[in-house]
Amino acid sequence: MKTRAFSPFSISILAVLVLTVVWSVYWFGFQSSLTLLRGAPISEPVAAMFVPKDAPLVMSLFANPQKLQNLRQLRTPLRKRGKARAEFDRLKRSLLADTDLDYQRDIKPWLGNEITLAVTTPDLDRDPKNGTQPGYLLALEVKDAEQSREFLDLFWQNKAVSGRDLQFEQYKGVKLIYSTKIQPPSRDGLQLKDFNPFAKSSAGEWSSAVVGDRFVLFANAPEVLRKAINDVQVDDLNLSGSPTYQKALDRMSDRRIGLLLGDVPQLAAWLGGESVRPDSQLPDTLAVGLTLSRKGLVADTVWASESDESTVTPQLDRPVAALNYIPDDSALVIAGRDLDTRWNRLSNALSGDDLFSRLVSQPLSELESRWGISLPEDIFSWVEGEYALALLPGVDTHETDWLFVAEDSDAAEASMEKLDDAALEKGYSVGPFTLKDQHRILAWTRLVTKEGKTVEGNLRLRLEAEVMGVRGQIDNYRILASSIEAIDRAVSAPRRFSLLSDKGFSKKLDIFPTPNDGYLYLNWENGKQPIKERIPFLKVLELAGKPALEHIRSLTTSTYGSENGVRRAEILFEFSP
């Protein structure tokens, strides 16, 4: 597979797709009925028989969108039903933009309960010299075969009117129809700008097929349909016959109304342009089942490797006590136990130069370079007990502080002294002070000049202390922070406003069974601004992903170790009305 740098814009487009599926499932079905809370009539895509087992990405919805929208209306407050209806109408218009099609008239009468979209290959011709052209397959379940055929007649009439030359082909008993205008390969691996098969002016070559009275298939090239028909006839070729896929599904809840599947090596190649190394410890398959809860949308996530049969038992049977020192308005929180062991497992899995490895290693490398330390050796290595890491709003609007709280250990003091030495080498002084006459704190500071003006408008220079970081010890916990204000909030949190004492956060934790490995919590309302400033492509994602992102309130996740090589996590998405 061709090697090239991944594009943040391409990553944001993929994220928009995933967020749109997540948002659609939630907003079309949240708390809509007890039936949906128990799951959809099916729990895995029937259309998996058309999808190759190494497809980079598969997304399925197991409930009719119109039915979900109607149920959502029943559960939406009267004053907000108009807005909810308008959002659904905007989604329909965007999907059918540049067409002569009407959802109510042309699609609703025949569309069944399953919609499956798959990226079948990162590059159709597998030629790295001429760019990439991914293969896309869209499978729509049919509930009225006659009306679906009438729809296809209208669909191809639109293509003919736009100047396409249509081709008709019988392939193994299935009638294929496709146009002959070919989309050239591109350096953009995602190729999503011309994805909509319904658009009259779509630049891509689109094909369709009707398989029995059950499915209408669309693809961006006729060879995608030919392969889909071949895969149906050989179980070893399609996704349904994949042992790793079945292994992942066996660990998931059956109460799902949607499913996302990823072949990790192929997905990395599609997104970043590089294949995962053969010796990489990344999983082979990632599966996300979407279920409805009264608290929000739950993504039941598993990842599995065909060759991995290891079992790792989770360690936490109660909430992390270190969260008592984390303020309740924190934007991002990671909490758990035995950071050293967890980091070693993660670093072994992300030991290559693929996309996923770089997403983790690059920011850590920047921090290590700034501080002149090795995070695994100087910090992670001594954290054998509970820990919590948090980003929280700073004193100024556009500033962000961080906090790190960890249980004390025998090796902690030596590591703290090494941090002091690193600060001295960077030109900072290390000095103690008393915080509010109660707590002895050490600060890493240096004097810098700041420009200002006098009342008369003359230039005035003043000396200010620039704080690189502070550290202290409260009870049995070591605390590192980016500012004096941050450590003050940490030591005050147990008495006033800790995250662990927040009732809303405690209710979120109730959905996660014990034992588990800890938590990751993202308060999107508090954290979106500072997080977007640190991850620029999120600004593009927020712009492109509306209205999905504008409704997200928070995200909470926990993991549960592994069993026979299958790792499992749950993610709770909480949305505002």
Side-chain angles (χ1 to χ4, degrees), residues 403-506:
L403 276 172
F404 181 69
V405 182
E407 275 190 286
D408 198 9
S409 71
D410 294 338
E413 186 59 34
S415 294
M416 295 299 101
E417 292 175 357
K418 191 167 184 178
L419 293 179
D420 293 342
D421 293 339
L424 291 171
E425 291 179 4
K426 291 285 185 180
Y428 289 83
S429 62
V430 180
F433 70 95
T434 302
L435 181 65
K436 294 182 177 179
D437 298 325
Q438 292 182 343
H439 306 288
R440 184 177 183 273
I441 305 297
L442 264 71
W444 305 311
T445 61
R446 67 180 176 184
L447 293 177
V448 295
T449 57
K450 295 286 186 178
E451 291 186 357
K453 289 188 177 181
T454 64
V455 177
E456 294 80 11
N458 299 320
L459 178 65
R460 181 179 183 178
L461 296 177
R462 65 182 187 276
L463 285 175
E464 288 187 2
E466 179 185 82
V467 179
M468 179 186 183
V470 293
R471 69 177 179 88
Q473 184 170 0
I474 309 297
D475 299 325
N476 192 40
Y477 288 92
R478 299 276 181 164
I479 301 178
L480 298 173
S482 59
S483 69
I484 297 172
E485 292 83 5
I487 201 167
D488 177 49
R489 297 186 64 192
V491 299
S492 302
R495 300 190 303 272
R496 294 189 294 175
F497 44 71
S498 76
L499 184 62
L500 193 58
S501 65
D502 181 77
K503 292 182 179 179
F505 181 72
S506 297

Side-chain angles (χ1 to χ4, degrees), residues 36 60 75 94 116 164 217 229 234 236 252 281 283 295 331 343 354 377 417-418 445 471 477 483 499 501 522 533:
L36 282 181
S60 294
R75 300 290 300 189
S94 67
T116 293
R164 305 297 176 82
L217 304 182
I229 295 168
V234 183
D236 289 344
M252 298 174 67
Q281 296 189 38
K295 295 182 176 68
W343 171 252
D354 52 80
E377 293 180 9
E417 292 175 357
K418 191 167 184 178
T445 61
R471 69 177 179 88
Y477 288 92
S483 69
L499 184 62
S501 65
L522 171 63
E533 290 175 358

Side-chain angles (χ1 to χ4, degrees), residues 239-524:
L239 187 62
S240 297
S242 166
T244 308
Y245 165 66
Q246 294 298 335
K247 184 179 179 180
L249 290 186
D250 288 343
R251 282 291 308 276
M252 298 174 67
S253 166
D254 289 333
R255 298 188 303 108
R256 50 185 176 263
I257 62 171
L259 187 65
L260 278 73
L261 300 164
D263 182 287
V264 175
Q266 291 290 333
L267 188 59
W270 179 50
L271 293 176
E274 319 92 347
S275 295
V276 176
R277 295 186 319 181
D279 61 345
S280 171
Q281 296 189 38
L282 284 172
D284 299 320
T285 299
L286 173 69
V288 182
L290 302 175
T291 64
L292 294 174
S293 161
R294 296 190 181 278
K295 295 182 176 68
L297 177 69
V298 178
D300 187 7
T301 306
V302 300
W303 53 102
S305 296
E306 189 171 359
S307 59
D308 185 7
E309 294 294 333
S310 63
T311 295
V312 177
T313 303
Q315 300 179 340
L316 284 169
D317 56 4
R318 63 184 184 279
V320 177
L323 292 172
N324 278 311
Y325 297 96
I326 301 300
D328 59 1
D329 64 345
S330 297
L332 176 67
V333 179
I334 301 173
R337 185 177 181 85
D338 194 357
L339 180 58
D340 185 36
T341 299
R342 287 184 63 79
W343 171 252
N344 287 333
R345 289 174 185 155
L346 179 62
S347 60
N348 288 335
L350 300 174
S351 57
D353 190 40
D354 52 80
L355 169 65
F356 303 116
S357 299
R358 292 199 310 271
L359 287 176
V360 174
S361 63
Q362 285 179 351
L364 293 182
S365 297
E366 292 173 4
L367 186 59
E368 289 179 331
S369 177
R370 176 186 171 192
W371 277 35
I373 62 172
S374 168
L375 287 173
E377 293 180 9
D378 300 330
I379 295 182
F380 300 167
S381 61
W382 61 267
V383 183
E384 300 173 351
E386 294 183 352
Y387 65 88
L389 172 66
L391 294 179
L392 56 153
V395 176
D396 295 331
T397 305
H398 297 292
E399 288 186 353
T400 304
D401 280 325
W402 57 261
L403 276 172
F404 181 69
V405 182
E407 275 190 286
D408 198 9
S409 71
D410 294 338
E413 186 59 34
S415 294
M416 295 299 101
E417 292 175 357
K418 191 167 184 178
L419 293 179
D420 293 342
D421 293 339
L424 291 171
E425 291 179 4
K426 291 285 185 180
Y428 289 83
S429 62
V430 180
F433 70 95
T434 302
L435 181 65
K436 294 182 177 179
D437 298 325
Q438 292 182 343
H439 306 288
R440 184 177 183 273
I441 305 297
L442 264 71
W444 305 311
T445 61
R446 67 180 176 184
L447 293 177
V448 295
T449 57
K450 295 286 186 178
E451 291 186 357
K453 289 188 177 181
T454 64
V455 177
E456 294 80 11
N458 299 320
L459 178 65
R460 181 179 183 178
L461 296 177
R462 65 182 187 276
L463 285 175
E464 288 187 2
E466 179 185 82
V467 179
M468 179 186 183
V470 293
R471 69 177 179 88
Q473 184 170 0
I474 309 297
D475 299 325
N476 192 40
Y477 288 92
R478 299 276 181 164
I479 301 178
L480 298 173
S482 59
S483 69
I484 297 172
E485 292 83 5
I487 201 167
D488 177 49
R489 297 186 64 192
V491 299
S492 302
R495 300 190 303 272
R496 294 189 294 175
F497 44 71
S498 76
L499 184 62
L500 193 58
S501 65
D502 181 77
K503 292 182 179 179
F505 181 72
S506 297
K507 289 181 179 178
K508 295 179 181 66
L509 297 188
D510 288 342
I511 79 158
F512 303 112
T514 55
N516 58 53
D517 296 317
Y519 311 100
L520 183 150
Y521 170 65
L522 171 63
N523 185 326
W524 183 244

Side-chain angles (χ1 to χ4, degrees), residues 127-143:
D127 184 355
K129 297 179 181 179
N130 65 354
T132 59
Q133 186 183 16
Y136 293 110
L137 178 68
L138 176 65
L140 304 175
E141 186 188 23
V142 172
K143 68 178 181 182

